[in-house]
Amino acid sequence: MAHAVPKYMFLVNWVKDQIAQGELKYGDKLYSENELCGIFGISRQTVRQAVGILEQEKYVERHRGSGTFIVFNKNDHRVPTKKIGVISTYIGEYIFTNILKSIEGVLSGSGYTMQLTFTHNKIENERRALQTMLDSDVDGIIVEPTKSGLPNPNISLYHDIVHRGIPLVFFNAVYPEESFPVVSLDDTAAGELAARYLLEAGHERLGALFQSDDIQGRLRYSGFLQALTKANIPVNGENIIWFTTEDIADLSLYPERIVKRLSGCTGVVCYNDQIATRLVRMLRQADILVPEQLSVVSIDNSDLAGMCEVPLTSIANPVTLLGETVASNILSLIQNPQFDANKQFAPVIVERASVKRITEN
């Protein structure tokens, strides 16, 4: 005849199941003795017996005066694959080549391989990439989010990653409604610095081009607004141009619209160097001289900034250091789940020929 499971073992097994399902994670505080007594209808002695077993098996740890905490880390009980999944919006273009090279350099130097995939900033591609990483049993995942400025239908997969105990670090941006660690440029400060540079050069009527479906665009716009507000300069919404990922290829098809929207401006802030180089080309075609008639400040300081027909003054995005940092942080997070993997880099402006200083008569 089968014997009934002792009450204390029922509690022991319940805690282990909660850990296995990701409901209780490393560092979480376990319910108090009184709460467990009430939940399971058992005595304090039974609770203490169960907690004693869990502590002996190194699932929990009692801290005098503060409670009992989960110390079992699922990653410590799996065979490491020495693989790190990396999901990027793009791979072989713009700033992404240097970021990914830097990530790979740190990972390979530490004995890890990089499993790389990209999304082209499409949510359906991101979903496939995340599922691939979950199926590949990677030790950690590095992600650049897709359309981070919009609600994302793939958030449940990210939560699944966390519940499985897989370390996760974002780069360049993070979904604003989530608290995942991220390594990035301080985009708000970058937008503010770009606008302030133009204001200090004597420009008072500023326009801007920002990307709306990535959170970087919104943060850079926020910084742009802060600079104008501090300088008591009014914002003219007609001079603010928004675009999405899908719009980028079509921007050059309608140059007259963009030029018209910037009418009356003497300075403009661009979301990044890709957009700025296209804008400079449009302005030349419209017989508007840069910087004589319109000064341009961009963000990222990519190779494009120096190669533009009018070399761009641009806010530096330290992409090599960013890549190295996000790779180092995911490895640190694997070793210590309590590691703070967040890092923001302060913006620095690199001056070139695209800004004219306005002098008072």
Side-chain angles (χ1 to χ4, degrees):
M1 187 174 71
H3 296 283
V5 176
K7 290 182 178 179
Y8 67 86
M9 282 306 301
F10 182 83
L11 178 54
V12 168
N13 292 334
W14 178 83
V15 171
K16 290 180 178 179
D17 286 343
Q18 292 292 294
I19 292 172
Q21 294 168 20
E23 298 299 325
L24 287 174
K25 299 182 290 295
Y26 181 94
D28 285 351
K29 186 176 180 180
L30 189 63
Y31 293 112
S32 68
E33 283 187 6
N34 286 339
E35 288 171 326
L36 290 171
C37 288
I39 292 169
F40 294 98
I42 54 180
S43 67
R44 292 172 67 91
Q45 180 59 36
T46 300
V47 170
R48 290 171 184 168
Q49 192 173 3
V51 171
I53 291 172
L54 289 166
E55 188 170 31
Q56 187 177 10
E57 296 182 3
K58 301 190 183 303
Y59 279 86
V60 303
E61 190 173 276
R62 283 182 274 204
H63 296 171
R64 185 179 297 275
S66 56
T68 301
F69 294 84
I70 306 299
V71 294
F72 183 91
N73 179 12
K74 289 192 288 186
N75 280 345
D76 293 338
H77 297 266
R78 60 182 287 275
V79 178
T81 61
K82 304 295 281 187
K83 290 191 302 184
I84 301 295
V86 178
I87 300 173
S88 176
T89 52
Y90 301 97
I91 292 183
E93 54 195 273
Y94 196 46
I95 61 175
F96 299 98
T97 300
N98 289 334
I99 292 176
L100 296 172
K101 280 183 178 178
S102 301
I103 291 174
E104 196 279 331
V106 171
L107 294 181
S108 63
S110 300
Y112 284 78
T113 59
M114 180 170 77
Q115 182 173 322
L116 179 62
T117 187
F118 62 103
T119 68
H120 281 303
N121 215 27
K122 295 181 182 294
I123 55 175
E124 60 272 24
N125 293 342
E126 181 189 53
R127 188 167 192 84
R128 285 193 291 269
L130 289 169
Q131 195 59 62
T132 296
M133 295 305 171
L134 283 168
D135 294 341
S136 298
D137 199 26
V138 293
D139 293 342
I141 301 176
I142 295 171
V143 181
E144 187 196 25
T146 293
K147 292 187 179 293
S148 55
L150 301 176
N152 189 289
N154 301 326
I155 290 297
S156 61
L157 282 173
Y158 285 111
H159 291 167
D160 192 16
I161 288 168
V162 172
H163 287 161
R164 294 192 192 188
I166 302 172
L168 174 68
V169 181
F170 282 74
F171 72 95
N172 281 344
V174 67
Y175 299 109
E177 67 273 21
E178 301 296 330
S179 58
F180 305 123
V182 58
V183 176
S184 70
L185 175 68
D186 186 337
D187 287 296
T188 303
E192 182 173 2
L193 178 58
R196 188 171 71 243
Y197 184 85
L198 286 167
L199 293 170
E200 291 174 351
H203 300 275
E204 294 189 355
R205 180 75 178 270
L206 300 187
L209 285 81
F210 290 113
Q211 186 163 338
S212 61
D213 56 346
D214 284 344
I215 194 63
Q216 297 103 306
R218 299 188 179 194
L219 293 174
R220 293 171 185 184
Y221 175 59
S222 176
F224 173 88
L225 293 181
Q226 287 179 25
L228 269 63
T229 299
K230 290 177 182 178
N232 293 315
I233 302 293
V235 178
N236 187 334
E238 178 66 21
N239 301 141
I240 310 299
I241 301 166
W242 291 96
F243 60 90
T244 67
T245 300
E246 290 74 21
D247 295 331
I248 294 174
D250 295 332
L251 283 177
S252 59
L253 298 179
Y254 310 102
E256 67 282 354
R257 295 185 187 177
I258 292 176
V259 171
K260 182 179 180 181
R261 293 281 298 275
L262 296 176
S263 176
C265 297
T266 63
V268 59
V269 172
C270 289
Y271 170 71
N272 65 15
D273 298 331
Q274 282 183 321
I275 299 303
T277 54
R278 295 184 185 209
L279 176 63
V280 169
R281 192 178 307 120
M282 290 182 213
L283 294 171
R284 174 175 53 78
Q285 292 169 351
D287 295 323
I288 297 174
L289 299 177
V290 176
E292 290 82 2
Q293 293 170 276
L294 188 62
S295 291
V296 178
V297 174
S298 183
I299 297 175
D300 279 341
N301 193 39
S302 67
D303 293 341
L304 290 178
M307 294 163 50
C308 183
E309 56 190 85
V310 180
L312 296 168
T313 292
S314 187
I315 307 298
N317 191 343
V319 292
T320 297
L321 181 57
L322 187 151
E324 291 171 348
T325 302
V326 73
S328 296
N329 285 6
I330 194 72
L331 297 180
S332 296
L333 205 54
I334 289 171
Q335 296 300 316
N336 174 18
Q338 301 305 305
F339 175 77
D340 183 1
N342 289 288
K343 175 66 178 179
Q344 277 196 328
F345 295 100
V348 176
I349 197 156
V350 179
E351 298 177 296
R352 293 191 182 88
S354 64
V355 175
K356 175 185 176 182
R357 185 166 292 276
I358 297 175
T359 55
E360 296 182 3
N361 294 324

